[in-house]
Amino acid sequence: MIAVARILLRRVALLVPLLLGIVLFVFLVMRFSDVDPASAFFQGANPTPEQLHDFREEHGLLDPLPVRYLHFVGDLLHGDLGTSALTRAPVADQVTTALPLTLQLTFLGLGIAVVLALAAGVTAAIHRDRLPDQIIRVVSLTGVAAPGFWLALLMIQYLAVDLGWFPTGGYVNPADSVTGWLRTMTLPALALSLPVAAQLTRIVRTAVVEELDKDYVRTAIGSGLPPHVVVGRNVLRNALINPLTVLGLRVGYLLGGAVVIETIFSLPGMGKLMIDAVKNGDPAVVQGVVLTTAAGFVVVNLVIDVLHLLVNPRLRDTTA
């Protein structure tokens, strides 16, 4: 545990310059964009040049760029993401309202992807080069090639419109109705997770096949242990190291894909918040959503690193 704590502290320390780099990148991109925060704040009001100048001076927009960056970082450290030009409300409040839904969608999709990938990947590996393996490989290859938004539209047409099993969009809070929440979140989570599940299935299959070919597996089965016990206790533990690494990268795909999926299904999450902000010319909201999503991606990868250390004891010995 001491080794794990030491490695964890080292990884957390490395996150600080990474997060500062992300903040700097977003800051520069937003400052060199064509969107003027002063004009966005007064949009539709025909402000005078004096009003625009007073706004820029009050909010530090006339300061040198390094000074503005330091003020920007200071505001972030205090939880201040700026003020929406459209609603005049703090961006942090809007992000706090939208973030829980995006997290629900992302982790529900992640759970579905992991379950499907483990079931399909292990089944394909155990029945290597036979009919189940061939079917799963064809299906997973199709899933990799299918865009999430296309799957979402197909599901809406056939499962929601034609069969009426699910609503075409909208959101029900789980506090109001768990059943309603599941009905509204199932199709978006499936559309988001199936491409990831297809990619993970291929990786899990390859990892399990490589593990099954090792001597210790043949020895364990030859000594009389049931194959399902060997696979469950030993093979999966060793084979899941590579899929765990890929899973951390796929979480970024899920967070990014949520932007499109939430828009298609009219879910009031971070994706829809950002799309509406882009359409309405609200740079502070766009900036807040991007920073929050990037920070979430970094934190999730830290969690994946910790899981990686717990699953692979040899890694603790080499990095301690």
Side-chain angles (χ1 to χ4, degrees):
M1 290 301 295
I2 296 178
V4 174
R6 188 184 302 117
I7 297 170
L8 181 59
L9 288 175
R10 190 184 306 163
R11 298 287 172 87
V12 172
L14 290 175
L15 290 184
V16 175
L18 176 60
L19 288 173
L20 287 176
I22 292 173
V23 170
L24 177 61
F25 176 76
V26 174
F27 173 81
L28 292 176
V29 168
M30 296 303 298
R31 294 311 174 273
F32 288 107
S33 68
D34 294 332
V35 180
D36 178 20
S39 301
F41 187 83
F42 289 105
Q43 56 181 315
N46 295 322
T48 63
E50 290 76 13
Q51 289 177 310
L52 292 173
H53 181 274
D54 291 342
F55 178 88
R56 295 187 180 106
E57 187 174 22
E58 179 183 353
H59 291 82
L61 299 178
L62 301 179
D63 294 337
L65 204 59
V67 175
R68 293 168 60 187
Y69 175 68
L70 292 177
H71 289 162
F72 180 62
V73 173
D75 291 339
L76 290 180
L77 292 176
H78 290 87
D80 184 5
L81 295 175
T83 302
S84 169
L86 187 65
T87 64
R88 305 295 193 266
V91 174
D93 292 346
Q94 298 184 52
V95 169
T96 303
T97 301
L99 183 59
L101 189 147
T102 298
L103 293 178
Q104 293 170 29
L105 177 60
T106 299
F107 287 104
L108 181 59
L110 183 64
I112 293 174
V114 169
V115 171
L116 290 178
L118 285 177
V122 173
T123 301
I126 293 175
H127 299 88
R128 185 187 342 176
D129 297 330
R130 285 178 280 175
L131 183 61
D133 181 27
Q134 294 172 357
I135 293 175
I136 290 173
R137 280 194 285 180
V138 171
V139 173
S140 63
L141 184 60
T142 304
V144 170
F149 72 89
W150 180 73
L151 292 174
L153 295 176
L154 286 181
M155 290 178 184
I156 290 174
Q157 178 62 47
Y158 293 109
L159 299 180
V161 176
D162 294 346
L163 297 176
W165 292 351
F166 301 96
T168 58
Y171 174 71
V172 175
N173 194 302
D176 299 329
S177 171
V178 175
T179 303
W181 177 79
L182 284 173
R183 294 188 74 245
T184 55
M185 295 294 285
T186 297
L187 290 188
L190 282 173
L192 190 62
S193 66
L194 288 180
V196 175
Q199 296 171 0
L200 286 177
T201 295
R202 298 170 64 84
I203 296 170
V204 169
R205 178 197 177 275
T206 301
V208 173
V209 164
E210 291 177 354
E211 206 66 27
L212 287 173
D213 287 338
K214 293 185 176 179
D215 292 337
Y216 81 88
V217 176
R218 289 192 289 267
T219 302
I221 294 177
S223 64
L225 287 175
H228 68 274
V229 173
V230 177
V231 172
R233 288 182 181 177
N234 304 104
V235 172
L236 274 182
R237 181 182 178 89
N238 296 325
L240 289 182
I241 295 173
N242 289 336
L244 260 181
T245 304
V246 176
L247 185 62
L249 300 176
R250 293 297 91 194
V251 171
Y253 169 85
L254 291 171
L255 288 170
V259 173
V260 178
I261 299 300
E262 287 175 1
T263 303
I264 293 175
F265 287 94
S266 299
L267 298 174
M270 295 281 281
K272 191 172 185 302
L273 178 64
M274 186 170 71
I275 293 297
D276 291 343
V278 171
K279 290 192 299 185
N280 297 321
D282 200 341
V285 174
V286 175
Q287 180 176 266
V289 171
V290 172
L291 285 173
T292 304
T293 303
F297 177 69
V298 170
V299 171
V300 167
N301 275 273
L302 175 63
V303 173
I304 295 295
D305 284 344
V306 174
L307 292 176
H308 205 173
L309 291 171
L310 295 176
V311 171
N312 189 2
R314 291 171 297 180
L315 190 61
R316 296 199 293 268
D317 298 334
T318 58
T319 57

